[in-house]
Amino acid sequence: MNKLMDAAIELGLFDRIWYESQHKLQFTSDIEAFDDYLRKSPYSDISPASTFDTISYYENYPDVYESGMSALEHYISHGRLEGRSCFPLRPLWVPKNDLTAISHSVLRKGRYAVVLHIFYPDFIGKFNDALIGVDFKFDLYITTTNPDVPGLAREVFSKNICINEININIVPNHGRNFGPLLVEFGKKLLSYDYFCHLHSKKSLYSSKEQVQWANFLIEYLVKDKQVLSRALNILESNSKYGIYYPTSFWNLPTWVNHWLKNKSLGRSYLKSEYGIDDVDNFLAYPVGGMFWARTSALKPILEKTWNYVDFPCEPLPADGSLLHVIERIIPKVAKNQGYDQFFYNPSTGQFTDDSKYIFRPYLVGNFLRLKQSLLRNDIISFDIFDTVVKRSFYEPDYAKFNFPSRLGWNITGEEFVKIRNSIELDIRIKKQYLGDVDIVEIYTELVNSLNLDYDPVDMAELEFQIDFEFLERKDVIVDLINYLANEGKSIIFISDTYYLDRQIKKLLSKIGVKCDYELLLSSSLGLRKDNGSMWEMLDKRLTESDKKSKFIHVGDNVCADCQISGDYGISSFHILGPMDKWDAMDFPSIKDSFSMENPSMVLKWGQIVSQIGSNPFI
């Protein structure tokens, strides 16, 4: 250890004074500080000096990350001899406020509980090691599906002098971590002032178990005693805060802080159960389901009588279940109770209630990362709307809104949008949402339904022509596409759209796409990104041609372009759409009233949103 530290100091890659200042930590010696870095660095976004960026090293050499070895240790022992490079620190995000000033020492007066869901028995020692030496007494609650866990857990945890009582329940393998928490102990937790919820979590990378994500959460929730003490000081001394957890694990997808497939169920559940209206896409929540809470902040959730039948059975879907919803609504329920949440940002050592860390991956160097990612592949596909083109007023229904005035009809734009969209929906229902519809089908049905003396093909062409007038190129993306084509990359455009092939080709010509490309449209193929059928087809095609590892997709829709393609093992790169970039830049939220039902809002803000979103990078 000393030799490694000496080498790091000699190379200018470890600086104790900088390390303590940057991460707001204190140590009694160089070796103690260096050991702290070595222990945390395989999973945490911390750096040993301004001259060595841990995360950049892992991003450039993922094999090192997957090995579980400290980035600095690898570079000193192997990397520099292999010709690998290290990089100076590249701060991705600095909180706009720091709660350190209110993290002064507080005499622990509250009643504490720690709740563990232990699916993997090897986490017993990990949890016990993390909980030894905390500066408060607590009751321990454990749920497990494994009959071998209770005996072993009692033997191990009974030696921890900080624990008052140990309660262990064997539970069915139902409801993952939240089901047992709420069914077994929800109401019991109401007698405590604060509780921490942890669970054994493993992720699979390269066909082997990896626990970096779990280690990250456990570290900053209970294991790092300096961080834990400061977090609880804030929680106990300031009654405005009800939820605490670290910022999202750095190696998760850029879009993890999003409702994803849970949006419809989540918003409906929030409204029906708690009377909360929600319009967020991106949101700050305890990703991974581990957190500290003031029990009064979550009283509406804890006091409910839960049963295991309330939760989906295994095998659990990857997303879109009540369990995924509960994880996301924790801060929203707390906010409705009058409590804010706060976070710990390991890379700067700051506590903050600034939730804009959720856009951290989009802030610094994202265009360069995109370009580098695409150049590493041979086949590159792009979504079209809001990715390579933008609408002058952002709202896709704006063309329909202008449709009746172009024909001199005595009907408002709002009325026509409702009629036109309702007919499209009716066609989809008749098809049982199989395949897709094209714009000629829509206007054929509209002409027949309203008994109009118009040619449906002409009407379909008119809607496209109106939209066409408002569609503009997103310069940075179109220029990148042409550059990639000149570099020999194969280009594909993929879109869920009712427009026809010839119409989309006309659009791509308008915005200056000058290369050969393949066009995959839902209107002609009957396959869609948002239901997975397009990705299923591509997955088979790429697998058969052995080109899947050299394919990547770029798009702005978190679910259709990234999450669902990922379900098929297809790589993607997410860029911010106009409204998401608007929110990322902390402008006033306008999503709840931005639609053609409120045309004045579209006319007032549409062009500004579109202009802000013309470049998807911050």
Side-chain angles (χ1 to χ4, degrees):
M1 182 72 69
N2 285 337
K3 288 184 178 180
L4 186 64
M5 183 185 71
D6 291 342
I9 294 174
E10 183 179 348
L11 292 167
L13 301 178
F14 175 67
D15 181 340
R16 174 190 166 188
I17 295 175
W18 182 92
Y19 185 73
E20 289 182 326
S21 175
Q22 177 72 8
H23 302 297
K24 314 296 187 292
L25 301 171
Q26 295 181 342
F27 302 97
T28 59
S29 65
D30 287 355
I31 194 66
E32 184 183 12
F34 189 70
D35 180 64
D36 184 79
Y37 168 76
L38 284 187
R39 180 176 62 78
K40 295 175 180 174
S41 57
Y43 51 80
S44 182
D45 48 337
I46 58 172
S47 293
S50 62
T51 52
F52 188 93
D53 190 345
T54 299
I55 302 309
S56 291
Y57 195 78
Y58 283 139
E59 288 179 340
N60 282 273
Y61 309 115
D63 59 308
V64 181
Y65 171 77
E66 291 173 6
S67 74
M69 191 175 188
S70 166
L72 181 60
E73 181 179 3
H74 181 276
Y75 176 73
I76 292 173
S77 302
H78 308 286
R80 59 187 177 137
L81 301 176
E82 297 168 355
R84 303 198 197 206
S85 301
C86 67
F87 312 88
L89 181 63
R90 180 194 60 186
L92 292 181
W93 176 74
V94 176
K96 66 182 179 183
N97 68 332
D98 187 352
L99 303 181
T100 301
I102 65 171
S103 63
H104 52 81
S105 296
V106 175
L107 181 64
R108 302 277 177 258
K109 295 180 180 179
R111 291 198 67 208
Y112 284 84
V114 174
V115 186
L116 308 176
H117 180 63
I118 303 178
F119 188 82
Y120 299 104
D122 56 315
F123 268 71
I124 293 174
K126 186 187 294 287
F127 286 140
N128 184 61
D129 178 57
L131 289 165
I132 288 176
V134 299
D135 63 353
F136 56 91
K137 294 281 190 177
F138 65 94
D139 290 338
L140 180 64
Y141 291 87
I142 298 173
T143 56
T144 181
T145 61
N146 190 326
D148 297 329
V149 164
L152 180 59
R154 286 191 182 278
E155 179 183 352
V156 171
F157 287 112
S158 63
K159 299 174 184 176
N160 189 335
I161 62 173
C162 298
I163 298 176
N164 295 317
E165 296 181 5
I166 301 175
N167 306 273
I168 306 177
N169 289 9
I170 296 178
V171 300
N173 185 23
H174 198 115
R176 296 288 173 94
N177 57 303
F178 281 115
L181 166 73
L182 297 173
V183 173
E184 305 293 332
F185 302 133
K187 292 184 178 181
K188 292 181 181 179
L189 290 174
L190 291 171
S191 64
Y192 296 87
D193 298 294
Y194 312 97
F195 75 95
C196 179
H197 177 54
L198 306 170
H199 64 101
S200 58
K201 185 176 187 63
K202 295 185 179 181
S203 303
L204 292 176
Y205 298 96
S206 303
S207 301
K208 60 186 293 188
E209 288 182 345
Q210 298 281 316
V211 292
Q212 285 98 324
W213 185 3
N215 287 343
F216 173 85
L217 293 172
I218 294 168
E219 181 71 44
Y220 296 116
L221 286 167
V222 289
K223 187 174 178 64
D224 188 315
K225 299 307 181 293
Q226 294 188 60
V227 172
L228 173 61
S229 181
R230 289 159 59 199
L232 295 183
N233 290 343
I234 294 171
L235 201 59
E236 284 210 46
S237 65
N238 197 316
S239 60
K240 71 177 285 189
Y241 295 114
I243 305 292
Y244 160 70
Y245 51 91
T247 53
S248 301
F249 181 49
W250 65 270
N251 201 33
L252 293 173
T254 58
W255 35 265
V256 67
N257 283 100
H258 195 281
W259 272 110
L260 301 176
K261 297 177 185 175
N262 312 287
K263 185 162 64 173
S264 178
L265 175 61
R267 290 175 175 175
S268 172
Y269 189 80
L270 272 175
K271 181 66 175 177
S272 62
E273 291 290 320
Y274 306 108
I276 300 173
D277 287 312
D278 177 78
V279 295
D280 288 335
N281 287 325
F282 283 84
L283 67 165
Y285 70 97
V287 181
M290 304 190 212
F291 57 92
W292 273 98
R294 187 188 301 271
T295 53
S296 55
L298 297 184
K299 183 180 178 182
I301 297 177
L302 297 173
E303 68 183 359
K304 178 181 175 178
T305 299
W306 294 87
N307 297 289
Y308 285 108
V309 294
D310 295 327
F311 305 101
C313 296
E314 297 289 345
L316 198 66
D319 207 14
S321 76
L322 177 60
L323 293 167
H324 299 100
V325 166
I326 290 174
E327 186 177 43
R328 286 166 171 81
I329 68 172
I330 286 170
K332 294 184 178 295
V333 172
K335 185 68 175 178
N336 204 47
Q337 290 288 103
Y339 298 102
D340 292 336
Q341 54 181 340
F342 69 100
F343 326 98
Y344 179 69
N345 184 44
S347 63
T348 62
Q350 294 170 291
F351 289 90
T352 183
D353 54 15
D354 179 6
S355 62
K356 290 304 177 181
Y357 74 85
I358 62 178
F359 295 108
R360 178 174 56 187
Y362 301 97
L363 294 177
V364 178
N366 206 33
F367 175 72
L368 181 59
R369 286 197 295 274
L370 171 62
K371 187 175 180 180
Q372 291 173 338
S373 296
L374 302 189
L375 286 172
R376 287 195 291 267
N377 290 273
D378 296 332
I379 310 171
I380 305 162
S381 68
F382 291 85
D383 170 54
I384 297 176
F385 296 98
D386 289 333
T387 298
V388 269
V389 299
K390 64 186 180 76
R391 289 181 165 94
S392 302
F393 289 87
Y394 177 62
E395 171 58 53
D397 280 345
Y398 190 66
K400 305 166 193 172
F401 178 81
N402 283 275
F403 189 94
S405 64
R406 293 291 181 96
L407 292 176
W409 287 1
N410 187 24
I411 182 176
T412 66
E414 298 99 309
E415 291 173 315
F416 181 76
V417 169
K418 289 180 181 179
I419 294 170
R420 154 68 176 76
N421 289 348
S422 175
I423 285 175
E424 179 182 343
L425 178 60
D426 288 343
I427 296 172
R428 295 185 186 280
I429 292 172
K430 289 177 183 177
K431 290 187 172 184
Q432 299 181 322
Y433 293 97
L434 297 175
D436 206 352
V437 301
D438 66 47
I439 193 167
V440 174
E441 283 184 273
I442 295 169
Y443 276 99
T444 298
E445 184 66 23
L446 187 147
V447 165
N448 292 335
S449 298
L450 302 182
N451 196 28
L452 299 175
D453 187 21
Y454 285 91
D455 184 339
V457 175
D458 291 343
M459 295 184 77
E461 193 60 35
L462 177 59
E463 180 183 316
F464 170 74
Q465 189 57 43
I466 297 171
D467 205 8
F468 184 80
E469 295 169 12
F470 296 120
L471 287 164
E472 306 169 28
R473 78 194 314 260
K474 296 179 82 167
D475 293 341
V476 67
I477 300 297
V478 175
D479 291 345
L480 178 61
I481 291 169
N482 289 328
Y483 165 78
L484 292 167
N486 288 333
E487 292 295 309
K489 309 300 181 182
S490 297
I491 304 297
I492 303 174
F493 291 102
I494 307 177
S495 182
D496 288 348
T497 181
Y498 39 70
Y499 287 141
L500 308 176
D501 280 39
R502 60 176 174 79
Q503 294 170 327
I504 296 299
K505 288 177 181 178
K506 182 179 179 180
L507 172 61
L508 294 175
S509 176
K510 173 188 177 180
I511 64 172
V513 173
K514 299 177 181 179
C515 60
D516 293 333
Y517 57 83
E518 182 180 5
L519 197 57
L520 302 178
L521 303 182
S522 62
S523 58
S524 56
L525 296 177
L527 304 173
R528 293 183 60 89
K529 291 182 298 177
D530 61 9
N531 66 16
S533 56
M534 184 74 78
W535 299 121
E536 182 179 13
M537 177 274 291
L538 267 175
D539 176 35
K540 292 178 181 178
R541 193 174 91 175
L542 292 167
T543 301
E544 289 172 358
S545 62
D546 197 26
K547 294 180 178 179
K548 190 173 179 179
S549 64
K550 287 296 183 179
F551 176 92
I552 189 169
H553 176 72
V554 181
D556 72 292
N557 188 296
V558 165
C559 291
D561 289 312
C562 299
Q563 185 185 25
I564 299 174
S565 64
D567 292 341
Y568 291 89
I570 293 174
S571 298
S572 65
F573 194 105
H574 181 254
I575 61 173
L576 290 174
M579 192 63 81
D580 287 333
K581 183 178 176 181
W582 176 275
D583 290 341
M585 297 184 71
D586 217 14
F587 294 129
S589 178
I590 57 175
K591 286 195 296 287
D592 58 341
S593 56
F594 195 92
S595 75
M596 290 321 307
E597 293 181 2
N598 192 358
S600 62
M601 279 292 291
V602 175
L603 292 172
K604 179 179 179 180
W605 294 107
Q607 285 185 305
I608 303 174
V609 172
S610 182
Q611 187 59 36
I612 291 291
S614 62
N615 185 325
F617 307 105
I618 300 175

